Amino acid sequence: MLKTGVPVLNKKMLDNYLPSMRLSLSLLLVFAVVTFFFGRYSLYLAIAEASVVLLLAVFIRFSSKKRSLKLLKYIESVTNSTASATKDTLLSFPLPVVIFSPETLTVLWSNSRFIQLTDSKERFFDVRLTDLIPDFSAKWLLDGKNECPQLITVGDRRYKIFGSLIHSAHEPDGVMAAAYWVDVTEYADRSDEYLASRPVCAIIMFDNYEELIKNMAEKDKSAILSAIDDKISAYLAGSNGVLCKYDRDRYLYLFEERHLNTFVEDKFTLLETVREAIKTGGGVHATLSIGIGKDGKTLEENFRYASVGIEMALSRGGDQAVIKNRFSFEFYGGLSTEVEKRTKVKSRVMANALGELISDASSVIVMSHARADLDSLGAAAGICCIARKRQKRAYIVSSADPSAVVDMTQQLREHPEYRGVFISAQDAMLFADSKTLLVIVDTNRPEQVESEALLLSMNHVAVIDHHRRAATYIENATLNFHEPYASSASELVAEMLQYLVEPNDILRVESEALLAGIVLDTKSFAIHTGSRTFDAAAYLRRSGADTTDVKRLLQSDFDTTMSKYAIIRGATMFKPGIALASSDVRENRVIVAQAADELLNIAGVQASFVVSPDGDDVFISARSIGNVNAQVIMEKLGGGGNQSTAGARVTGMRQAEVLEQLKAAIDDYIDASAHTRLDENN
């Protein structure tokens, strides 16, 4: 039972509040003594005064004691009345109240309203609160909070719970807890209805419209576009939204947020339905991309989010849905094979824009991702060539770990044009001014660059990259040449060189660096190549690149080769067509990547994953030559890349835990892409 009261008052405590007559009596006594020394009858007068003072002191003492007893009885009466009122108040409190042990959740006392809340017929004794209300937890009270962070549902009602801890001598641990239950069902229902009825904006786009209707008769064109319209309308029929076509290849769809979960739960099967059902006579499948904007304060903001979502979907290869809210992106789909969609017009426009930026800049700094490879170094060398043609000083931010490109870096340093070009990120910040142009190559993620501080300090930034865009990317770039259909950043820079410099302006070592970057990322033109890839390689060959020297750059020494094959020897077939290898020894990232590449040379292997410790982190290298999208799997572990080449670095976890997460990510991917399962007979 809960005991409520006030401290017991004794006489000593009451003396502090009762009036004191000591000073007055002392003054009267002093007057009596003084009177003794004055006049003829002073002795008698002094004795009379002293007698009066004595009688008065006796009277005051007895009257004060009597008043003290009366006051004490009155206070005790008020105390008992207060305790009774407090008890009666708890019993008749208009809200359900329960007092329990916060450690064991054992109910100690409850009022009648709480008993009614739980639909019980009698009071509880030694019953756990979680037996009555399974969703209840007292962790928030033990954490020092006075309000439960979530609503608790009991029956068909929802409650907001407030509470506090009570110190008591009757409990072994000396602490009890009181919880007050406020019925907020009507408020919560209105809040849920408001959230569910918020408008969501979606843009649905044919991402291969040109390829779909190319060389098609008008009648056939109308028929196939009408078929796509029917598929979209049928898919959206149950969501009570407004669908309108506002461009030849784009739809705008407005609907309530309550229907968004339905689309998410079925993983936007519209993408698969259209891809499988709509196909031209030439074998081209129709593919859609969907950008969805939500959580915006206005419809205009939701439309802007949807536009960003469409841009993100296209930059990742299309055939997928992207949901953009105020804080993040969510990705669905993206399982089909990428198709080259680039045109020389865009390369020419981007080349001219980059040329103008370099001409207007005071100097140029080129920076790639941390731990540069041949692709990023080749692209950086190409940018230096353009800057030299425009008579601008160029610098390359040197990686802290240049082991993967040490030979190519040394060859570049031997040329007079590259003396003093390789600098640290700290020196780059000293050399830069307000007109310096920073060119980021071979990455679009700010957290992956060699120096994020340098990126944040620059006013003018250009990005040249071929990796599929992730949720985090470099925003507000002055120029963004992002082509996920390209094989490499070196290929993109090589295309730009054709419009900005003459072939004899390119140093042989620069053309070989660019060609080496293309060869590295395409695995000697075996994967992720298009017609433009071979055009760029042919241009570099005409510019003086020697394929023999390039081959020599890509050779491995004896120890590296042995380490690579040691990893391969321990590989297993995790799933049909998927090889998985794990090294317990810390290996160079280049060796790990080469082991993943080599596993693809085994018959029947369409995707490979190699896991290796890298200091306190765990590094994963992923490769694919089939329908498996390596990037989608790596994104689940915080990595990225493109469909055929991807990787991830996991921090704060043991290698065994990373392996389990990788296996789970592969299983999820296979379940989500049943239509692209690997052929078990391979």
Side-chain angles (χ1 to χ4, degrees):
M1 291 292 291
L2 179 66
K3 185 175 181 180
T4 305
V6 297
V8 178
L9 296 177
N10 53 34
K11 183 178 182 304
K12 197 176 223 183
M13 295 173 63
L14 288 172
D15 288 342
N16 296 325
Y17 302 99
L18 292 174
S20 175
M21 300 296 294
R22 291 178 182 176
L23 179 61
S24 301
L25 293 175
S26 299
L27 290 174
L28 290 175
L29 188 60
V30 170
F31 284 128
V33 173
V34 172
T35 303
F36 177 78
F37 296 100
F38 292 95
R40 186 173 178 183
Y41 301 101
S42 58
L43 175 62
Y44 303 105
L45 184 59
I47 293 173
E49 289 179 353
S51 300
V52 171
V53 171
L54 181 61
L55 291 173
L56 186 61
V58 172
F59 173 77
I60 290 174
R61 178 177 178 81
F62 283 102
S63 63
S64 296
K65 185 175 181 181
K66 190 175 181 180
R67 283 200 307 272
S68 297
L69 291 174
K70 288 182 178 180
L71 180 59
L72 186 60
K73 289 181 179 180
Y74 173 75
I75 292 175
E76 288 178 352
S77 172
V78 171
T79 301
N80 293 332
S81 299
T82 303
S84 177
T86 302
K87 181 178 178 181
D88 292 341
T89 299
L90 282 175
L91 290 172
S92 60
F93 199 65
L95 298 178
V97 181
V98 61
I99 297 174
F100 60 96
S101 169
E103 295 291 343
T104 63
L105 297 181
T106 303
V107 176
L108 303 175
W109 179 88
S110 63
N111 65 359
S112 58
R113 289 187 178 270
F114 183 80
I115 297 173
Q116 295 172 5
L117 180 150
T118 56
D119 291 332
S120 298
K121 304 297 183 182
E122 54 186 15
R123 296 188 178 275
F124 314 113
F125 295 99
D126 295 330
V127 177
R128 287 177 59 86
L129 195 53
T130 49
D131 294 337
L132 303 170
I133 304 171
D135 294 337
F136 183 81
S137 171
K139 186 177 183 300
W140 53 280
L141 277 169
L142 297 175
D143 291 340
K145 299 177 182 178
N146 292 324
E147 181 178 336
C148 184
Q150 69 272 347
L151 300 182
I152 300 296
T153 301
V154 182
D156 58 350
R157 311 298 291 177
R158 287 192 281 180
Y159 294 87
K160 185 72 175 175
I161 307 176
F162 300 88
S164 60
L165 295 178
I166 305 170
H167 294 279
S168 170
H170 297 285
E171 284 293 298
D173 54 4
V175 176
M176 297 186 297
Y180 308 87
W181 300 61
V182 182
D183 190 337
V184 294
T185 305
E186 286 73 19
Y187 164 79
D189 289 345
R190 288 178 181 272
S191 176
D192 290 347
E193 177 60 25
Y194 163 73
L195 295 175
S197 62
R198 288 188 301 178
V200 176
C201 180
I203 297 175
I204 305 172
M205 176 183 177
F206 304 152
D207 55 28
N208 63 339
Y209 180 83
E210 296 293 341
E211 292 82 1
L212 194 66
I213 65 172
K214 190 175 182 180
N215 301 324
M216 187 180 291
E218 285 297 326
K219 184 176 78 171
D220 296 334
K221 185 190 303 183
S222 299
I224 199 166
L225 294 179
S226 177
I228 294 175
D229 291 348
D230 292 341
K231 293 293 183 184
I232 295 175
S233 298
Y235 180 77
L236 302 175
S239 52
N240 302 321
V242 178
L243 177 69
C244 64
K245 191 172 185 178
Y246 71 98
D247 203 350
R248 63 175 188 173
D249 58 351
R250 295 188 182 221
Y251 294 86
L252 177 65
Y253 185 56
L254 299 176
F255 62 102
E256 292 184 341
E257 191 168 332
R258 73 177 84 245
H259 301 291
L260 182 58
N261 282 339
T262 302
F263 300 144
V264 171
E265 287 171 1
D266 73 0
K267 301 185 184 300
F268 293 92
T269 53
L270 174 64
L271 302 173
E272 182 180 351
T273 300
V274 171
R275 183 174 59 251
E276 293 183 349
I278 310 299
K279 186 171 96 170
T280 66
V284 178
H285 290 265
T287 59
L288 302 179
S289 288
I290 303 174
I292 296 177
K294 56 173 285 192
D295 292 343
K297 296 181 180 179
T298 62
L299 279 172
E300 180 185 8
E301 190 170 16
N302 277 343
F303 181 78
R304 187 163 66 250
Y305 287 165
S307 300
V308 173
I310 274 290
E311 181 184 347
M312 177 68 77
L314 295 177
S315 69
R316 291 165 55 86
D319 189 28
Q320 58 191 280
V322 177
I323 300 176
K324 171 73 173 76
N325 57 31
R326 283 178 291 174
F327 308 106
S328 62
F329 293 90
E330 297 176 31
F331 304 102
Y332 301 90
L335 306 175
S336 62
T337 304
E338 295 174 351
V339 179
E340 186 177 22
K341 301 179 184 178
R342 293 186 297 131
T343 65
K344 289 189 176 182
V345 175
K346 183 174 182 180
S347 296
R348 175 175 53 81
V349 171
M350 288 295 176
N352 292 333
L354 179 64
E356 292 179 5
L357 287 175
I358 292 177
S359 297
D360 295 338
S362 59
S363 60
V364 178
I365 297 175
V366 190
M367 181 168 64
S368 69
H369 51 76
R371 300 183 180 181
D373 55 19
L374 285 174
D375 182 32
S376 60
L377 181 59
I383 299 299
C384 288
C385 178
I386 298 173
R388 187 171 65 249
K389 178 68 175 179
R390 300 285 170 132
Q391 298 180 347
K392 299 294 180 179
R393 181 62 172 167
Y395 301 96
I396 299 176
V397 177
S398 179
S399 174
D401 181 18
S403 58
V405 293
V406 62
D407 293 338
M408 190 74 254
T409 301
Q410 184 60 36
Q411 291 185 30
L412 289 169
R413 290 179 187 272
E414 292 174 356
H415 288 73
E417 293 83 354
Y418 280 85
R419 288 175 185 167
V421 168
F422 292 92
I423 60 175
S424 66
Q426 291 76 13
D427 290 339
M429 295 185 72
L430 295 176
F431 294 154
D433 57 33
S434 60
K435 292 187 176 181
T436 299
L437 174 66
L438 175 65
V439 182
I440 304 295
V441 295
D442 204 29
T443 186
N444 60 68
R445 301 178 67 173
E447 69 273 14
Q448 291 186 349
V449 297
E450 182 65 34
S451 172
E452 193 169 355
L454 176 61
L455 172 62
L456 295 173
S457 67
M458 301 300 293
N459 295 325
H460 306 289
V461 178
V463 178
I464 303 172
D465 186 37
H466 69 108
H467 296 98
R468 291 173 62 167
R469 186 171 290 177
T472 58
Y473 59 96
I474 299 173
E475 299 185 76
N476 302 321
T478 308
L479 180 144
N480 195 332
F481 189 18
H482 182 236
E483 289 290 347
Y485 311 105
S487 68
S488 57
S490 293
E491 178 186 333
L492 295 175
V493 174
E495 285 191 343
M496 301 173 80
L497 283 170
Q498 300 178 53
Y499 301 103
L500 297 174
V501 301
E502 298 297 328
N504 56 2
D505 292 325
I506 306 176
L507 299 177
R508 175 179 173 179
V509 68
E510 291 172 336
S511 62
E512 289 180 351
L514 286 161
L515 184 57
I518 296 175
V519 172
L520 174 71
D521 274 18
T522 61
K523 308 301 178 285
S524 299
F525 301 96
I527 60 174
H528 206 63
T529 56
S531 60
R532 306 289 295 282
T533 307
F534 293 99
D535 290 343
Y539 169 75
L540 295 172
R541 183 69 181 88
R542 292 193 301 271
S543 300
D546 189 328
T547 54
T548 303
D549 290 341
V550 171
K551 176 66 175 177
R552 191 177 296 112
L553 278 171
L554 297 172
Q555 284 182 324
S556 302
D557 58 33
F558 183 81
D559 292 337
T560 298
T561 302
M562 292 298 102
S563 298
K564 175 177 65 177
Y565 283 108
I567 296 175
I568 296 172
R569 190 181 303 113
T572 59
M573 295 299 292
F574 172 63
K575 295 287 183 180
I578 298 180
L580 179 60
S582 177
S583 173
D584 296 330
V585 181
R586 178 177 180 178
E587 298 287 2
N588 187 289
R589 288 182 59 197
V590 175
I591 296 176
V592 176
Q594 289 179 353
D597 292 333
E598 193 67 30
L599 283 170
L600 293 181
N601 293 328
I602 300 174
V605 176
Q606 297 189 36
S608 62
F609 300 86
V610 178
V611 182
S612 174
D614 188 6
D616 295 331
D617 303 336
V618 179
F619 178 70
I620 308 173
S621 185
R623 300 291 185 268
S624 172
I625 57 173
N627 290 323
V628 176
N629 192 320
Q631 184 206 14
V632 173
I633 296 175
M634 288 295 97
E635 280 184 337
K636 293 182 180 295
L637 288 94
N642 54 46
Q643 179 167 345
S644 58
T645 304
R649 177 180 297 280
V650 183
T651 60
M653 294 179 63
R654 293 183 292 107
Q655 185 168 338
E657 296 173 335
V658 174
L659 270 172
E660 291 303 316
Q661 286 201 4
L662 174 60
K663 292 177 181 179
I666 296 172
D667 287 335
D668 291 344
Y669 176 85
I670 293 175
D671 292 340
S673 57
H675 61 287
T676 56
R677 283 186 185 276
L678 298 172
D679 186 358
E680 295 187 4
N681 295 325
N682 289 342

